[in-house]
Amino acid sequence: MTSAERLRRALNWLNLSTPLGLALAAATGCRTRPGPHGLLLAHGYRPVLPKAAAFTVGNVVFFRPAAAALAGNPVLLGHEARHSTQYAACLGLPFLPLYGLAALWSLWRTGDPASRNVFERLAGLSAGGYTERPLRIRPGQLRHMRARPAQTRKRP
């Protein structure tokens, strides 16, 4: 484990995001084990939300039963490690509502909670298994997009 990963692990313990992740793992019957990058891997997450096959709370990465094989994917684990760093940077638990707002913004702009979510983009959309979706055109935008007649300028 690198010194940056040790620092992240310590910050996420101090900011209570990793203890929250471990409490969630215990409450949902997940089995936890150490993983790479100072992460803890929690297998067997069954509740409906969030819908993702894998997600992170502090330094704890949760996997649904059908997604257990993803725990061996170094690209996905790198993506989840970046989310763990985001918890440390956002001082822990404030990351959750900030992530929720970013997901709502993305959902409003694209119909997808990840495409324009700043946290997913910084963690790497494709590394997380996401596909970037185009921006939706809003009704108010249509009038701005209509062709306007060219304005002529009078010369003095």
Side-chain angles (χ1 to χ4, degrees):
M1 189 173 0
T2 68
S3 58
E5 291 167 344
R6 281 192 289 282
L7 176 61
R8 179 187 65 212
R9 182 178 63 179
L11 288 172
N12 282 340
W13 270 98
L14 290 172
N15 68 30
L16 302 179
S17 59
T18 294
L20 176 64
L22 289 171
L24 180 61
T28 57
C30 292
R31 299 171 325 279
T32 59
R33 66 176 176 84
H37 310 296
L39 300 173
L40 297 167
L41 308 181
H43 293 278
Y45 183 82
R46 294 184 187 278
V48 177
L49 293 175
K51 291 184 179 184
F55 68 96
T56 301
V57 179
N59 272 33
V60 182
V61 182
F62 290 84
F63 295 93
R64 295 190 173 280
L70 293 176
N73 181 330
V75 174
L76 177 66
L77 288 175
H79 173 88
E80 298 303 333
R82 286 186 286 280
H83 283 314
S84 180
T85 300
Q86 291 168 352
Y87 273 94
C90 291
L91 304 176
L93 302 181
F95 175 76
L96 294 170
L98 292 171
Y99 184 93
L101 289 171
L104 286 172
W105 168 257
S106 179
L107 192 61
W108 182 72
R109 295 298 292 141
T110 66
D112 172 58
S115 287
R116 292 292 167 177
N117 181 326
V118 66
F119 297 107
E120 291 298 344
R121 294 176 77 80
L122 289 172
L125 281 177
S126 62
Y130 300 109
T131 303
E132 187 167 357
R133 306 279 166 87
L135 291 175
R136 288 181 176 179
I137 296 174
R138 301 279 170 215
Q141 292 174 315
L142 288 176
R143 74 186 122 163
H144 297 295
M145 295 177 69
R146 290 186 189 128
R148 294 183 183 171
Q151 293 180 354
T152 56
R153 188 173 162 186
K154 293 182 181 180
R155 299 203 183 249

